[in-house]
Amino acid sequence: MTTADTAQLLPQLRASPLFAGIADDVLLDLLPHLHRHTWGKRQQIMPATQTAKRFYLLTAGRVRIEAEHPESGRAITLCLLGPGDGHNLVTLLDGKAETVMAETLDETTALYAPLDLWRQWLDDYPDLRHAAMRYAAARLRGLHELAEDLALHDTSTRLAHLLLRHLDNEPNLDNLVHEDLGRMIGSVRVVVNRLLNRFRHEGIIETEAGQLRVTDLERLLHKAERRISDLCHGNDRTP
């Protein structure tokens, strides 16, 4: 890795939650062992044979992590990864190969190193281990929120929650088709299309040239919270 590569990648590592609070001298020790790989847009990447051997850290682009029913082919997005996120975090921690699918939504770049080396780093650098555990907890909380949404909330509320979660955080929802959004909330394209039109009509969002922007946060918050209130008061108004 060249000096120019190091100068470019060091700020990206600092910004990753996996390296939160890690000293620069530690990052400089790790960088020479990291290799870079780039994929094109809308490609299936990082199959189980690779994730059983390597740990990947995204530095550019977005990757959709999905589970798919083997017979129906119906899929649900478990999480949307962006720069700074690690892909096969569970494999890093428990050694078992991933059973999920990963697809790029943009041209995507990741750094990788052998899993055994990452595990050695976790042993050698306590701050890195603590940061990885905090990051794992945040990812687990995201799956908990997804399960809660699917079990307790109607589709409109799930969409409102999705918009709120990605309002100020990367990765963003720009340039995603309605089928992509549907997979993120356990729904289908036609339903998402109808709900987005409703949100636009109510002045909650604007969409232009693939960009989605929240224009009335108060109404969006109300829509996200209303379903919880309905359930608490026994008013189940699921459409």
Side-chain angles (χ1 to χ4, degrees), residues 85-169:
D85 284 321
H87 168 33
N88 46 325
L89 182 66
V90 175
T91 304
L92 175 64
L93 298 177
D94 70 6
K96 297 181 181 179
E98 292 279 5
T99 58
V100 296
M101 300 181 301
E103 180 187 9
T104 60
L105 299 178
D106 318 289
E107 183 174 297
T108 298
T109 301
L111 300 175
Y112 69 88
L115 276 172
D116 290 343
L117 183 56
W118 277 95
R119 294 189 183 111
Q120 185 62 51
W121 290 339
L122 294 179
D123 289 337
D124 292 344
Y125 303 107
D127 288 345
L128 179 60
R129 182 169 64 251
H130 296 155
M133 295 306 294
R134 289 193 299 269
Y135 178 66
R139 290 277 293 273
L140 183 61
R141 185 175 296 278
L143 290 175
H144 171 84
E145 291 174 352
L146 174 62
E148 183 180 82
D149 264 3
L150 294 173
L152 299 179
H153 302 306
D154 62 16
T155 311
S156 177
T157 306
R158 297 202 299 270
L159 180 59
H161 289 170
L162 176 67
L163 297 177
L164 287 171
R165 282 196 297 269
H166 291 266
L167 189 59
D168 295 316
N169 301 313

Side-chain angles (χ1 to χ4, degrees), residues 3 9 11 14 18 60 78 106-107 109 139-140 164 180 184 194 200 207 211 238:
T3 302
L9 293 174
R14 289 194 197 107
L18 271 167
L78 302 175
D106 318 289
E107 183 174 297
T109 301
R139 290 277 293 273
L140 183 61
L164 287 171
D180 294 328
M184 298 179 75
R194 183 175 70 245
R200 278 192 291 264
T207 56
Q211 310 296 303
T238 303

